[in-house]
Amino acid sequence: MRLRFKFSKNGLLKYVSHLDVMRYFQKVMRRCEVDVAFSGGFSPHMIMSFALPLGVGMTSDGEYFDLDVNSAPHAEKLLAKMNATQAEGFQILSVCRVPEEKAAKCMSVVAASDYLLGFDGPLPADFNEIIDGFLAQAAVEIVKKTKRHEELTDIRPWIYELRLQPDNRLYLLLSAGSVHHLKPELVWSSLCDYAKREDLPRISAVHRIDLYAGTRDAFVPLSSLGEEF
Amino acid sequence: MSVEKPERYIGGEFNAVMKDQAEVRFCLAFPDIYEIGMSNLGLQILYGMFNAWEDIACERVFSPWTDLDRILREKDIPLFALESQKPVKDFDFLGISLSYEMAYTNILQLLDLSHIPLHAKDRTWDNPLVIGGGLCTCNPEPVAEFFDLFYLGEGEISYRRLFDVYKEARKEGLSREAFLLRAAQIPGIYVPSLYEATYNDDGTLASFSPLKDEVPGTVSKDEVPDTVSKTLVTDFAESYYPEKPVIPFAKATQDRIVLEIQRGCIRGCRFCQAGFVYRPLREKPLARVSALADELIKNTGYEEISLSSLSSSDYDALPDLLGRLMEVCPERGINISLPSLRIDAFSLDVMNKVQDVKKSSLTFAPEAGSQRMRDIINKGLTEEEILSGASEAFAGGWNKVKLYFMLGLPLEEEEDIKGITHLSEKIARAFYDIPKEKRNGKCEITVSTSFFVPKPFTPFQWAPMNDAETFLKKAYMVKSEIRSMRNQKSIRYKYHEAYVSVLEGVLARGDRRLAAVIEAAYKNGAMFDAWGETFRQDAWENAFTSCGTDPGFYVFRDRDLSELLPWDFIDVGVTKSFLKREWQKAKEGVVTPNCREACQGCGAKKYGCGVCYETAV
């Protein structure tokens, strides 16, 4: 059966690369003696896939991976066992059982992700007006460089939400995944280009809140696509 | 400004110990990058042992790679320890591992970046006590000026006492000098500032003895020992072993469980420093090793377990141990790796069972190409054994073989050098002698030669070393001889950097006067000298010139048996007279039996443990 784990990655762990996060969770599975299903072939490995790699430097409360197991104890028991053997900053938040079809894989269903951007100084008092103006544009064009040529791409349709929080952080809900993946830093830099202001601070922290499946009118967290076990 | 692999500097790994407050704060340092340092067993042992003590908080620090190094200097940020991210300069102790000579300039990097005075004499209680430990403390003299103390021998023994003496001294408000004087009474502790070296006109050491003048303190200087004895774990069966090693996020060089099954070696290969200074051989009993394996598997989550020792084949209960591991490992998908194993029918059978289907390459270390030379170095391995081992391996489906040799061994002649090639060719023929349908494709033989570096406390400590030019000439000789072989296409040849080897030789058998050269080389930009990409030969050459030091003095001379050697004040167990006998036997090409065959009276028996007291079966 296939299990979907949701975990958080905080503090200095933001510097741990995606590849090493994978290696880390493989060790967690061994320490917890989870009855993992291995692939066949010459070098058997765990059948583990991550929803969306998190860039080095980012923290998150909404990371996911799917893992195939032969059997599993009750979810609560498994969670407690796994959380007893974590490095500080990692926490397993939930586990559920998901269908084993290819189309249901966590990496295939990701459609959006939301973020909080922190800054090294205060945002100007009239920043809400800047946001309104930015979002009111018919198109937000950025230059996308490919190997052969440069082309203009409109990212406006992929910005689902953008608002200032009372704590001087910026909330963004953006298209994510394999179709249109929009990085929050890119939105910020086009926002800066639009504002043409000297008094804008720089990004000091990028935090992912969660990953979602579904369509714009009905996004649901990846963790809600499974069932309890 | 970005740094490659920031994971190296964040700490917080699984099993890392976070202690907020402790009476004594100890920072363990390894003068190389994180991935190398974290693979060092000694570091994991000390880290676990120190943190198991309530009053000690032990943290770690490694050499920042050149990118972070630059940032720390530019922004004047003092180097910080991983666990607390607090400056290294605020610790009570900075313990630096001396694992290989080519890391010496990185010792200065660590001190410099930490904002700690490079020279022990310039330090006060405002600075940590800088203590060195590890294999290279066999001859700590080239770096003596940079250390307040050295710990000679195995760390499990005297650190508890050192910390107690330290705590007492601080409570009493003792001066730093008075504390060091007390510390010098502890077994295994060497305080270089309490000793003085004088030299003869020809540059050789004339005397080396404790300073006798009065220093305010509670212990008189008369009690500073003339000879410093290393410490050795006599109860190896029960001694501390880390059951919860720190698991790096980044992939370390040793990305596996390391389980030490024995310490020391019975073989007595005459070039091998570890083989002499870790004598006598002590085994961890099967029951303890098995219990440790279970714990380590549970506590780490690694997918591989490696049995560590200088010669695994000599571990008495090896078949039983492997049987036991076979019961627990494969079902959990854990591989078993067996380095330093003699290749014979037994080990091939074992490897067939324990390693996955992919046949990795097999490693042979004949060390020398001719039987004459193998006898000189006392490598008890005959050509028949090598060839039959290789044949069996080829018949068993292996087709990749790695061969390790040394060039520039004492008394070496042209025939010995060419022997390397001829032995490799014979191994290739052994492969093609196997009927086509029974062998596995083509054979790949990789021949590697290193340049021999004479080391202290080996019978070759008196031997002259080849210069870089001679080394290279010999390497070319091997290369061209391989080209003339029938199976040359199956043989690949690699050789080490020659100048670096000579430098290693200088630092290995050097004396106190070399500190100036090391410092000058560091200031000229030398760092990470063991890394090909960062090695700066000019920095070293200029350092020798500006200090007026002839590196050849330390390496190219035939040292007289009566010469006072810089490391003679250390008692490592094996005696100088034994080493002299072995040097003589080497010259005569006479082989010495191993410890289990016949005791040679090397001196290690005085520790009262290990193979010296095994009852013959």
Side-chain angles (χ1 to χ4, degrees), chain A:
Chain A
M1 62 177 174
R2 180 164 296 159
L3 302 183
R4 173 163 303 161
F5 295 88
K6 178 180 184 180
F7 68 96
S8 60
K9 184 189 182 207
N10 282 304
L12 284 176
L13 294 187
K14 67 181 177 190
Y15 293 120
V16 179
S17 73
H18 174 64
L19 193 70
D20 289 333
V21 170
M22 279 173 63
R23 288 166 15 88
Y24 170 83
F25 278 107
Q26 288 170 5
K27 292 192 179 85
V28 171
M29 296 304 160
R30 287 176 194 281
R31 288 200 288 271
C32 295
E33 297 179 355
V34 176
D35 184 11
V36 176
F38 284 87
S39 71
F42 280 115
S43 40
H45 54 270
M46 292 186 190
I47 305 162
M48 184 185 244
S49 62
F50 280 71
L52 191 65
L54 187 71
V56 171
M58 291 164 74
T59 54
S60 174
D61 283 317
E63 293 302 292
Y64 294 88
F65 64 86
D66 292 350
L67 177 78
D68 289 6
V69 297
N70 299 315
S71 68
H74 189 269
E76 258 172 53
K77 219 170 148 186
L78 180 61
L79 240 129
K81 204 171 175 184
M82 289 179 68
N83 279 327
T85 176
Q86 297 292 338
E88 204 187 309
F90 277 126
Q91 199 191 345
I92 308 277
L93 302 171
S94 69
V95 56
C96 59
R97 184 178 174 164
V98 292
E100 282 176 64
E101 297 103 61
K102 220 173 179 181
K105 270 188 153 181
C106 57
M107 59 190 349
S108 323
V109 298
V110 175
S113 171
D114 53 357
Y115 304 89
L116 284 172
L117 298 189
F119 300 93
D120 64 355
L123 290 162
D126 60 342
F127 198 69
N128 270 322
E129 286 146 47
I130 298 177
I131 292 179
D132 290 343
F134 175 71
L135 292 178
Q137 297 177 98
V140 177
E141 290 194 316
I142 56 145
V143 182
K144 220 176 178 181
K145 277 182 194 163
T146 60
K147 268 179 195 163
R148 292 210 190 107
H149 56 284
E150 293 182 351
E151 58 178 32
L152 284 177
T153 310
D154 179 16
I155 59 168
R156 180 62 190 88
W158 308 332
I159 305 172
Y160 301 141
E161 273 186 69
L162 172 61
R163 62 172 189 265
L164 181 62
Q165 298 224 126
D167 61 359
N168 195 51
R169 290 199 288 179
L170 208 55
Y171 173 85
L172 301 101
L173 177 64
L174 308 174
S175 173
S178 46
V179 187
H180 295 299
H181 186 69
L182 187 56
K183 291 180 175 173
E185 296 94 330
L186 188 62
V187 177
W188 173 251
S189 70
S190 44
L191 188 54
C192 291
D193 290 347
Y194 164 79
K196 297 193 180 65
R197 291 270 291 256
E198 300 281 298
D199 59 346
L200 294 181
R202 282 183 306 182
I203 299 177
S204 62
V206 185
H207 181 74
R208 182 184 279 165
I209 301 170
D210 211 337
L211 291 175
Y212 305 90
T215 51
R216 193 171 172 180
D217 39 330
F219 281 136
V220 289
L222 256 54
S223 50
S224 66
L225 296 178
E227 54 191 35
E228 285 178 34
F229 65 96

Side-chain angles (χ1 to χ4, degrees), chain B residues 413-431:
Chain B
E413 284 164 20
E414 204 176 308
E415 278 314 299
D416 304 311
I417 299 166
K418 290 186 172 162
I420 292 174
T421 309
H422 302 148
L423 182 60
S424 311
E425 169 71 12
K426 280 178 195 161
I427 290 172
R429 286 188 189 171
F431 180 83

Side-chain angles (χ1 to χ4, degrees), chain B residues 91-229:
Chain B
F91 279 73
D92 296 282
F93 285 89
L94 171 60
I96 305 180
S97 169
L98 276 69
S99 289
Y100 33 88
E101 293 83 359
M102 297 322 291
Y104 285 176
T105 48
N106 280 78
I107 293 173
L108 298 182
Q109 179 214 20
L110 285 171
L111 293 170
D112 206 4
L113 291 180
S114 300
H115 301 179
I116 296 171
L118 299 187
H119 295 264
K121 65 172 168 53
D122 299 328
R123 293 182 200 133
T124 67
W125 272 138
D126 290 335
N127 308 116
L129 288 157
V130 181
I131 181 165
L135 184 58
C136 288
T137 57
C138 287
N139 177 24
E141 289 306 281
V143 287
E145 276 187 20
F146 311 127
F147 285 86
D148 297 298
L149 324 93
F150 286 101
Y151 185 110
L152 310 184
E154 297 169 352
E156 288 94 334
I157 305 300
S158 281
Y159 269 113
R160 185 61 259 177
R161 191 142 158 224
L162 179 67
F163 294 146
D164 290 338
V165 169
Y166 174 75
K167 279 162 62 177
E168 232 174 70
R170 295 315 303 259
K171 252 176 233 154
E172 288 172 35
L174 240 53
S175 70
R176 214 169 184 264
E177 292 71 25
F179 160 73
L180 289 172
L181 209 48
R182 273 195 200 173
Q185 320 294 308
I186 302 170
I189 300 295
Y190 163 50
V191 179
S193 59
L194 299 178
Y195 294 78
E196 188 181 39
T198 61
Y199 301 92
N200 297 312
D201 291 341
D202 65 359
T204 55
L205 197 59
S207 71
F208 188 88
S209 53
L211 285 159
K212 293 293 181 196
D213 55 316
E214 267 323 304
V215 164
T218 47
V219 187
S220 118
K221 278 215 166 178
D222 295 338
E223 287 167 55
V224 174
D226 291 332
T227 302
V228 185
S229 300

